[in-house]
Amino acid sequence: MKIYAKVVEVGELISGTSDNGNDWEKQQVVFETTHADTPKHLAVDFMGERKTKTTKTLQKGQLCEVVFEPTSRKWEDKWFTNLEGYAVTPLVAADAPKEVGAMMSPKEELPY
């Protein structure tokens, strides 16, 4: 999915080393969409140095184009959903759509 949204909060950068000895980074960014009557918040996780390179520079209130995919998993008979971020692109005011949170057409939604 691809949406336009405003940055509400940039979480702390979390990093570590996997059991295989590979370094990893993860950062969560909370975005706000305003295309509905009530603003909605989306917490999107960006995993990997390539993705967090951009998230580290985001500022509160900045408009962005966000590409993400929802993923769900079941644990102990309960379902949990995460939003896995693929890309985030800060926008200048001239590039921003009139409606923040607007979805793109289905052809433009694919992150690959």
Side-chain angles (χ1 to χ4, degrees):
M1 301 178 97
K2 184 188 292 188
I3 64 167
Y4 295 101
K6 180 174 67 171
V7 176
V8 174
E9 182 180 321
V10 179
E12 185 178 325
L13 182 69
I14 301 168
S15 62
T17 304
S18 70
D19 291 340
N20 297 351
N22 298 323
D23 292 335
W24 58 269
E25 288 184 350
K26 177 181 176 180
Q27 191 164 29
Q28 186 175 71
V29 181
V30 179
F31 297 96
E32 179 180 73
T33 63
T34 58
H35 69 284
D37 293 337
T38 307
K40 307 287 185 200
H41 291 116
L42 300 171
V44 182
D45 294 325
F46 293 89
M47 183 81 170
E49 186 178 351
R50 183 180 60 81
K51 297 173 188 173
T52 59
K53 183 177 180 180
T54 305
T55 61
K56 292 175 192 175
T57 64
L58 295 177
Q59 299 294 318
K60 185 176 178 178
Q62 195 170 24
L63 290 177
C64 298
E65 177 183 272
V66 185
V67 180
F68 66 94
E69 185 171 311
T71 58
S72 297
R73 67 190 185 293
K74 189 175 184 179
W75 183 70
E76 292 186 2
D77 293 328
K78 293 182 185 177
W79 283 92
F80 297 89
T81 300
N82 290 20
L83 301 179
E84 182 182 342
Y86 288 105
V88 59
T89 306
L91 301 174
V92 293
D95 295 336
K98 293 178 185 174
E99 192 174 310
V100 176
M103 297 282 185
M104 301 300 292
S105 68
K107 289 169 80 176
E108 297 175 311
E109 288 182 5
L110 297 175
Y112 30 77

